[in-house]
Amino acid sequence: MRIGAVPVEGEPAARWGVDWATGGLVTPHLRHTLTGHTGPVRAAATTVVDGRAVAVTASDDDTVRAWDLVTRRQIGKPLEGHSGWAYVVAVVVMDNRTIAVTGGEDGMVRVWDLGTGQQIGEPLIGHTDRVQAVATAVLEGQPVAVTGGRDGVVRVWDLATGQAIGELPTGDVGAVYAVATAVLDGRPVAVTSSYETVRVWDLTTCQPLGEPLPGHTPGVRAVATTVVDGRSVAVTGNADGTVRVWDPTTGQPIGEPLTGHTDYVCAVATAVVGGRPVAVTGSHDKTVRVWDLTTGQQVGEPRTGHTRGVLAVATAVVGGRPVAVTGGLDKTVRVWDLATGQQVGEPRTGHTGPVLAVAMVVVGGRPVAVTGSWDGTVRVWDLTTGQPIGQPLTGHTGPVLAVETTVVGGRQIAITGSTDRTARVWDLATGQQVGEPLTGHTGPVCAVATVVVGGRLVAVTYSTDATVQVWDVTTGQPISKLLTGHTGPVWAMAAVTVDGHPIATTTSTDATVRVWDLTTGQQVGEPLTGHTDQVNAVVTAVVDGRPVAVTSSADETVRVWDLTSGQQVGEPLIGHTSPVWAVVTAVVDGRPIAVTSSADETVRVWDLTTGQQLASLPFPLPVHAVTMTPDGRLTAGFGWEIAGFSPC
C-alpha cells in the first residue's frame, strides 16, 4: 500500500504507509485510502485548487466530496444537491475559479465552485434520465461541459450561461456510458461510448467525424484520450475485460487489445509516467492496472486493495509524483503511486495459514518482526526489507497463538504459545529452540508476557484452562502455583511493574480483567468490570505518569484502566464495528497512543491522553494481530499475509 491512515476530522493527522507485504492483497503502490462516502464511489476527477492537488469524487450516497491529496483530508462539507446518486464528475477552470460539473440519478447537471463549496446557479436541465457521463472542454474560448445520459442524448452546455448550446445526433444507440474530450487537428472533439458504439464528434459543428470505431463487443463502459508519439488516441474499456487503443482520425484500432482484467473495465484515465504515456484502468475484478501505451504492455503487477469492483479512476501529480485516484463499490477512495510500478526483488512468501500473533525486537542491530500462525510455524522478518530471516521456527504441533520477545543473557529470544498446550523459547539469532517445551497447561496457551520478579526474568503464560502459570525463563521451570480466579478461559495477559511490584493483568471470556501480584501469586483487588463480552487483548502503558492497562473486547470497545486505583479511565474508545482482537501501545511524537485491530477489517489509532481516534487504516480482511516498534513502525497480520508500515 501505501494504505494510508484515514485521519479523523479535527484531529492531527496520523499517517502510515505500507512498505512491504508478503502477499497480493496489499500492494506497496497503494499510498492512501480516503474514507467518508457511505455509498459506492462512482466517479473521480483531479484538479488544483489554491495551489494544492485535489481529488473530487461522486457517490451513491448522493454527495460529491473534495479531498486534499497532500494532507489526505476531506475539504469542507460534502457538496449536496443531487436528489439521487451523484454519478459522474469533471473539473474545469472558469473565470479563475476551479469548478466541478456533476451529473446524477436525478437527471440534473450541477456546477460547483470548489473554492467555496457552493453550487453555481440553477441545475442544468435537459436530460430525461440519469446523467452517467461528463467531460469538459474549451469551445471558442468558453468552457463547456459535454454530458451523456441513460436517455441516449449527448448535450453540450455553456458553463458561463448555464445554457445548452448543442446536442449530438446520436441516433438510436441507447444509453451513453462515457464521454471524453480532446483536440484533434486543432479542433475540439468529443469521444462517446454507448453499449456497443464508440463515436468521435466535432464539438463546433456537433457532427460525427467518420464512422463509429469498430471492434468492441457490446459494453463499452469507459473512454479517455491522450497523445502517443505525437498523435491523439482514444483508450476504451469494455465489458469483455479488454482495453483498446484507437486512432480517432482514421477510426482504426492501434495494436491488439490489452488483456489482463477478468471482468468489466469500468474506468479509464491516462497519465505520463517516466516520460511515457500510460493508461490506468479499473475493473469489477477489484484491480487497478497500468498500461504502457507505446508498447501495449501492462506495467508491473495489478494494484490490489479495493475489496469490491473499481468504478472510477483519475490521475494527478502530487509532490512531483504521478498518482492515480480510484473509487469503488467498497465506498473508499484510494491513492496509488504510479512511479513505483515495478516489483522489487522476488515475491515474498510466508505463512500458509492465518497470522495470529506478532511481536517486534532488534536482532543484530536490525528491527525484526516475529510472527506466529495457524500453520504451526514461527517466522522472523526483516522490517526494513520485508524479507524472511532464515527458516521457519518449527516444533509446535498446533497453531501458534501468542508471541513475546525479550532479552536473556544478552541474546534476543522469542517465547511462543500454541494450541499444543506448550510454550517454547527460541534463540532468534540461531533460529534454534532453547531447552524443552514449557508444559503444564491442560488447554491451548493463548498468550505470553515477560517481567522481572525478584531479580529474575520470568515468563507468564495463560491458557483456555482458565489458569496463569509463571516460569523462570533461564531454567524453564515453573516458579509459582497456578493463578486461578477467572470463570472462563483466560484470553490475554500483560505484565508490568506498579509501585515496585511485578504484576500481571489478565483477561477472559468471562468479560473481566484481573490484576495479579506475581510475587505473592494473589489477585490484587476486585476484577475490573465494564466490558460486556469476551476481553480479547490487554497491554500496558504510562499515561500522564500513571500506569494503565488498555483492553479490547468482542463488545467492539477499547477501555483504559488505572492500575493504581483499579478504575476505568474516561469513556470507552468507540469506533470499531466488530470485535476488537488486538491492541498495542507506543509513544509517537511524544504522545501515548494505542493501536487496535478488528474483525471490521480496520486498524485504528487512538490518543490515550484525550481518548480521541486519530486514524483508521482499512484492510481487505479482518486483522488478527498488530504490533509497533518504538519509532512508530507497524506490522499487521491479516488472513495469512503480513504487511509492514512506517510513518509518513
Side-chain angles (χ1 to χ4, degrees), residues 207-239:
Q207 294 301 308
L209 295 175
E211 297 299 315
L213 308 185
H216 270 300
T217 54
V220 184
R221 296 284 180 170
V223 61
T225 60
T226 190
V227 175
V228 178
D229 294 331
R231 62 177 172 176
S232 295
V233 302
V235 186
T236 55
N238 195 267

mmCIF file of all heavy atoms in Angstrom, residues 207-239:
data_model
loop_
_atom_site.group_PDB
_atom_site.id
_atom_site.type_symbol
_atom_site.label_atom_id
_atom_site.label_comp_id
_atom_site.label_asym_id
_atom_site.label_seq_id
_atom_site.Cartn_x
_atom_site.Cartn_y
_atom_site.Cartn_z
ATOM 1 N N GLN A 207 -21.295 17.415 -35.286
ATOM 2 C CA GLN A 207 -21.454 16.350 -36.263
ATOM 3 C C GLN A 207 -20.413 15.256 -36.020
ATOM 4 O O GLN A 207 -19.303 15.525 -35.540
ATOM 5 C CB GLN A 207 -21.295 16.896 -37.686
ATOM 6 C CG GLN A 207 -22.394 17.860 -38.097
ATOM 7 C CD GLN A 207 -23.769 17.217 -38.028
ATOM 8 O OE1 GLN A 207 -23.986 16.141 -38.591
ATOM 9 N NE2 GLN A 207 -24.693 17.875 -37.329
ATOM 10 N N PRO A 208 -20.765 13.988 -36.368
ATOM 11 C CA PRO A 208 -19.799 12.904 -36.213
ATOM 12 C C PRO A 208 -18.660 13.035 -37.211
ATOM 13 O O PRO A 208 -18.840 13.536 -38.320
ATOM 14 C CB PRO A 208 -20.639 11.653 -36.476
ATOM 15 C CG PRO A 208 -21.763 12.118 -37.335
ATOM 16 C CD PRO A 208 -22.064 13.517 -36.894
ATOM 17 N N LEU A 209 -17.477 12.579 -36.770
ATOM 18 C CA LEU A 209 -16.312 12.529 -37.653
ATOM 19 C C LEU A 209 -16.111 11.072 -38.062
ATOM 20 O O LEU A 209 -15.686 10.236 -37.259
ATOM 21 C CB LEU A 209 -15.067 13.055 -36.937
ATOM 22 C CG LEU A 209 -15.084 14.536 -36.541
ATOM 23 C CD1 LEU A 209 -13.840 14.884 -35.726
ATOM 24 C CD2 LEU A 209 -15.166 15.416 -37.776
ATOM 25 N N GLY A 210 -16.449 10.755 -39.281
ATOM 26 C CA GLY A 210 -16.281 9.401 -39.769
ATOM 27 C C GLY A 210 -17.272 8.428 -39.177
ATOM 28 O O GLY A 210 -18.278 8.801 -38.558
ATOM 29 N N GLU A 211 -16.990 7.148 -39.364
ATOM 30 C CA GLU A 211 -17.858 6.077 -38.892
ATOM 31 C C GLU A 211 -17.526 5.715 -37.440
ATOM 32 O O GLU A 211 -16.448 6.061 -36.934
ATOM 33 C CB GLU A 211 -17.681 4.847 -39.785
ATOM 34 C CG GLU A 211 -18.096 5.061 -41.222
ATOM 35 C CD GLU A 211 -19.568 5.420 -41.330
ATOM 36 O OE1 GLU A 211 -20.386 4.754 -40.656
ATOM 37 O OE2 GLU A 211 -19.898 6.368 -42.053
ATOM 38 N N PRO A 212 -18.436 5.015 -36.778
ATOM 39 C CA PRO A 212 -18.119 4.536 -35.426
ATOM 40 C C PRO A 212 -16.844 3.694 -35.432
ATOM 41 O O PRO A 212 -16.519 3.051 -36.440
ATOM 42 C CB PRO A 212 -19.347 3.697 -35.045
ATOM 43 C CG PRO A 212 -20.442 4.232 -35.905
ATOM 44 C CD PRO A 212 -19.802 4.648 -37.195
ATOM 45 N N LEU A 213 -16.129 3.688 -34.315
ATOM 46 C CA LEU A 213 -14.911 2.888 -34.202
ATOM 47 C C LEU A 213 -15.290 1.420 -34.060
ATOM 48 O O LEU A 213 -16.045 1.048 -33.157
ATOM 49 C CB LEU A 213 -14.094 3.340 -32.990
ATOM 50 C CG LEU A 213 -13.796 4.845 -32.893
ATOM 51 C CD1 LEU A 213 -12.880 5.122 -31.711
ATOM 52 C CD2 LEU A 213 -13.194 5.378 -34.173
ATOM 53 N N PRO A 214 -14.779 0.566 -34.941
ATOM 54 C CA PRO A 214 -15.211 -0.836 -34.943
ATOM 55 C C PRO A 214 -14.417 -1.674 -33.945
ATOM 56 O O PRO A 214 -13.360 -1.274 -33.468
ATOM 57 C CB PRO A 214 -14.881 -1.267 -36.373
ATOM 58 C CG PRO A 214 -13.651 -0.469 -36.698
ATOM 59 C CD PRO A 214 -13.829 0.865 -36.017
ATOM 60 N N GLY A 215 -14.931 -2.865 -33.645
ATOM 61 C CA GLY A 215 -14.120 -3.853 -32.951
ATOM 62 C C GLY A 215 -14.587 -4.261 -31.580
ATOM 63 O O GLY A 215 -14.399 -5.399 -31.187
ATOM 64 N N HIS A 216 -15.177 -3.345 -30.837
ATOM 65 C CA HIS A 216 -15.606 -3.714 -29.487
ATOM 66 C C HIS A 216 -16.813 -4.637 -29.540
ATOM 67 O O HIS A 216 -17.715 -4.476 -30.363
ATOM 68 C CB HIS A 216 -15.981 -2.472 -28.677
ATOM 69 C CG HIS A 216 -14.832 -1.889 -27.915
ATOM 70 N ND1 HIS A 216 -14.143 -2.575 -26.960
ATOM 71 C CD2 HIS A 216 -14.246 -0.667 -27.972
ATOM 72 C CE1 HIS A 216 -13.204 -1.802 -26.441
ATOM 73 N NE2 HIS A 216 -13.239 -0.645 -27.051
ATOM 74 N N THR A 217 -16.834 -5.598 -28.624
ATOM 75 C CA THR A 217 -18.061 -6.335 -28.363
ATOM 76 C C THR A 217 -18.939 -5.440 -27.496
ATOM 77 O O THR A 217 -18.471 -4.453 -26.941
ATOM 78 C CB THR A 217 -17.741 -7.648 -27.637
ATOM 79 O OG1 THR A 217 -16.976 -7.356 -26.468
ATOM 80 C CG2 THR A 217 -16.930 -8.571 -28.543
ATOM 81 N N PRO A 218 -20.226 -5.762 -27.351
ATOM 82 C CA PRO A 218 -21.122 -4.876 -26.600
ATOM 83 C C PRO A 218 -20.622 -4.592 -25.183
ATOM 84 O O PRO A 218 -20.070 -5.463 -24.514
ATOM 85 C CB PRO A 218 -22.433 -5.673 -26.571
ATOM 86 C CG PRO A 218 -22.395 -6.486 -27.819
ATOM 87 C CD PRO A 218 -20.958 -6.880 -27.980
ATOM 88 N N GLY A 219 -20.814 -3.337 -24.755
ATOM 89 C CA GLY A 219 -20.488 -2.969 -23.385
ATOM 90 C C GLY A 219 -19.289 -2.073 -23.239
ATOM 91 O O GLY A 219 -18.443 -2.309 -22.379
ATOM 92 N N VAL A 220 -19.174 -1.011 -24.059
ATOM 93 C CA VAL A 220 -18.071 -0.056 -23.926
ATOM 94 C C VAL A 220 -18.411 0.881 -22.770
ATOM 95 O O VAL A 220 -19.276 1.742 -22.900
ATOM 96 C CB VAL A 220 -17.852 0.730 -25.230
ATOM 97 C CG1 VAL A 220 -16.635 1.641 -25.076
ATOM 98 C CG2 VAL A 220 -17.678 -0.212 -26.410
ATOM 99 N N ARG A 221 -17.718 0.707 -21.638
ATOM 100 C CA ARG A 221 -18.092 1.387 -20.402
ATOM 101 C C ARG A 221 -17.258 2.625 -20.090
ATOM 102 O O ARG A 221 -17.643 3.424 -19.239
ATOM 103 C CB ARG A 221 -17.968 0.408 -19.224
ATOM 104 C CG ARG A 221 -18.923 -0.760 -19.303
ATOM 105 C CD ARG A 221 -20.313 -0.346 -18.927
ATOM 106 N NE ARG A 221 -21.261 -1.444 -18.989
ATOM 107 C CZ ARG A 221 -22.495 -1.390 -18.525
ATOM 108 N NH1 ARG A 221 -22.925 -0.266 -17.959
ATOM 109 N NH2 ARG A 221 -23.306 -2.410 -18.630
ATOM 110 N N ALA A 222 -16.095 2.777 -20.707
ATOM 111 C CA ALA A 222 -15.199 3.863 -20.316
ATOM 112 C C ALA A 222 -14.384 4.324 -21.509
ATOM 113 O O ALA A 222 -14.062 3.533 -22.403
ATOM 114 C CB ALA A 222 -14.272 3.389 -19.203
ATOM 115 N N VAL A 223 -14.034 5.615 -21.508
ATOM 116 C CA VAL A 223 -13.220 6.165 -22.584
ATOM 117 C C VAL A 223 -12.371 7.316 -22.035
ATOM 118 O O VAL A 223 -12.807 8.059 -21.142
ATOM 119 C CB VAL A 223 -14.093 6.637 -23.767
ATOM 120 C CG1 VAL A 223 -15.041 7.735 -23.330
ATOM 121 C CG2 VAL A 223 -13.245 7.094 -24.942
ATOM 122 N N ALA A 224 -11.141 7.433 -22.541
ATOM 123 C CA ALA A 224 -10.250 8.533 -22.200
ATOM 124 C C ALA A 224 -9.418 8.861 -23.425
ATOM 125 O O ALA A 224 -9.350 8.069 -24.374
ATOM 126 C CB ALA A 224 -9.348 8.155 -21.027
ATOM 127 N N THR A 225 -8.781 10.015 -23.416
ATOM 128 C CA THR A 225 -7.940 10.411 -24.545
ATOM 129 C C THR A 225 -6.566 10.845 -24.047
ATOM 130 O O THR A 225 -6.407 11.267 -22.893
ATOM 131 C CB THR A 225 -8.574 11.569 -25.334
ATOM 132 O OG1 THR A 225 -8.749 12.697 -24.463
ATOM 133 C CG2 THR A 225 -9.908 11.162 -25.920
ATOM 134 N N THR A 226 -5.570 10.737 -24.935
ATOM 135 C CA THR A 226 -4.219 11.194 -24.630
ATOM 136 C C THR A 226 -3.458 11.324 -25.933
ATOM 137 O O THR A 226 -4.025 11.163 -27.019
ATOM 138 C CB THR A 226 -3.512 10.219 -23.659
ATOM 139 O OG1 THR A 226 -2.291 10.812 -23.217
ATOM 140 C CG2 THR A 226 -3.233 8.885 -24.311
ATOM 141 N N VAL A 227 -2.164 11.617 -25.836
ATOM 142 C CA VAL A 227 -1.299 11.734 -27.007
ATOM 143 C C VAL A 227 -0.189 10.700 -26.898
ATOM 144 O O VAL A 227 0.485 10.597 -25.863
ATOM 145 C CB VAL A 227 -0.699 13.150 -27.119
ATOM 146 C CG1 VAL A 227 0.295 13.224 -28.276
ATOM 147 C CG2 VAL A 227 -1.808 14.178 -27.300
ATOM 148 N N VAL A 228 0.003 9.899 -27.941
ATOM 149 C CA VAL A 228 1.044 8.873 -28.004
ATOM 150 C C VAL A 228 1.849 9.095 -29.278
ATOM 151 O O VAL A 228 1.274 9.092 -30.382
ATOM 152 C CB VAL A 228 0.445 7.451 -27.984
ATOM 153 C CG1 VAL A 228 1.561 6.407 -28.092
ATOM 154 C CG2 VAL A 228 -0.372 7.225 -26.717
ATOM 155 N N ASP A 229 3.149 9.298 -29.126
ATOM 156 C CA ASP A 229 4.020 9.521 -30.288
ATOM 157 C C ASP A 229 3.501 10.648 -31.175
ATOM 158 O O ASP A 229 3.510 10.548 -32.415
ATOM 159 C CB ASP A 229 4.169 8.236 -31.107
ATOM 160 C CG ASP A 229 4.906 7.146 -30.331
ATOM 161 O OD1 ASP A 229 5.735 7.498 -29.471
ATOM 162 O OD2 ASP A 229 4.641 5.956 -30.588
ATOM 163 N N GLY A 230 3.007 11.711 -30.545
ATOM 164 C CA GLY A 230 2.589 12.882 -31.287
ATOM 165 C C GLY A 230 1.213 12.838 -31.893
ATOM 166 O O GLY A 230 0.773 13.818 -32.508
ATOM 167 N N ARG A 231 0.476 11.750 -31.721
ATOM 168 C CA ARG A 231 -0.869 11.684 -32.278
ATOM 169 C C ARG A 231 -1.888 11.426 -31.169
ATOM 170 O O ARG A 231 -1.611 10.720 -30.196
ATOM 171 C CB ARG A 231 -0.982 10.597 -33.350
ATOM 172 C CG ARG A 231 -0.709 9.189 -32.863
ATOM 173 C CD ARG A 231 -0.922 8.163 -33.967
ATOM 174 N NE ARG A 231 -0.476 6.833 -33.557
ATOM 175 C CZ ARG A 231 -0.616 5.744 -34.301
ATOM 176 N NH1 ARG A 231 -1.181 5.828 -35.499
ATOM 177 N NH2 ARG A 231 -0.188 4.570 -33.877
ATOM 178 N N SER A 232 -3.070 12.009 -31.328
ATOM 179 C CA SER A 232 -4.139 11.809 -30.358
ATOM 180 C C SER A 232 -4.680 10.391 -30.468
ATOM 181 O O SER A 232 -4.844 9.860 -31.579
ATOM 182 C CB SER A 232 -5.270 12.810 -30.592
ATOM 183 O OG SER A 232 -4.825 14.130 -30.360
ATOM 184 N N VAL A 233 -4.940 9.778 -29.322
ATOM 185 C CA VAL A 233 -5.532 8.447 -29.310
ATOM 186 C C VAL A 233 -6.679 8.428 -28.310
ATOM 187 O O VAL A 233 -6.741 9.248 -27.387
ATOM 188 C CB VAL A 233 -4.510 7.347 -28.944
ATOM 189 C CG1 VAL A 233 -3.335 7.344 -29.922
ATOM 190 C CG2 VAL A 233 -4.024 7.493 -27.505
ATOM 191 N N ALA A 234 -7.583 7.495 -28.506
ATOM 192 C CA ALA A 234 -8.653 7.218 -27.549
ATOM 193 C C ALA A 234 -8.401 5.847 -26.943
ATOM 194 O O ALA A 234 -7.961 4.921 -27.645
ATOM 195 C CB ALA A 234 -10.012 7.254 -28.232
ATOM 196 N N VAL A 235 -8.660 5.726 -25.646
ATOM 197 C CA VAL A 235 -8.497 4.460 -24.935
ATOM 198 C C VAL A 235 -9.856 4.082 -24.364
ATOM 199 O O VAL A 235 -10.480 4.891 -23.667
ATOM 200 C CB VAL A 235 -7.456 4.576 -23.804
ATOM 201 C CG1 VAL A 235 -7.198 3.219 -23.174
ATOM 202 C CG2 VAL A 235 -6.164 5.189 -24.314
ATOM 203 N N THR A 236 -10.318 2.881 -24.663
ATOM 204 C CA THR A 236 -11.655 2.462 -24.226
ATOM 205 C C THR A 236 -11.575 1.190 -23.394
ATOM 206 O O THR A 236 -10.685 0.361 -23.575
ATOM 207 C CB THR A 236 -12.582 2.220 -25.429
ATOM 208 O OG1 THR A 236 -11.974 1.268 -26.308
ATOM 209 C CG2 THR A 236 -12.835 3.510 -26.185
ATOM 210 N N GLY A 237 -12.528 1.068 -22.470
ATOM 211 C CA GLY A 237 -12.639 -0.124 -21.637
ATOM 212 C C GLY A 237 -13.966 -0.799 -21.880
ATOM 213 O O GLY A 237 -14.982 -0.137 -22.103
ATOM 214 N N ASN A 238 -13.965 -2.129 -21.824
ATOM 215 C CA ASN A 238 -15.111 -2.896 -22.297
ATOM 216 C C ASN A 238 -15.591 -3.917 -21.277
ATOM 217 O O ASN A 238 -14.845 -4.337 -20.397
ATOM 218 C CB ASN A 238 -14.723 -3.597 -23.607
ATOM 219 C CG ASN A 238 -15.926 -4.126 -24.371
ATOM 220 O OD1 ASN A 238 -16.299 -5.261 -24.216
ATOM 221 N ND2 ASN A 238 -16.531 -3.278 -25.179
ATOM 222 N N ALA A 239 -16.846 -4.321 -21.441
ATOM 223 C CA ALA A 239 -17.428 -5.334 -20.573
ATOM 224 C C ALA A 239 -16.747 -6.686 -20.714
ATOM 225 O O ALA A 239 -16.847 -7.536 -19.831
ATOM 226 C CB ALA A 239 -18.923 -5.476 -20.859
#
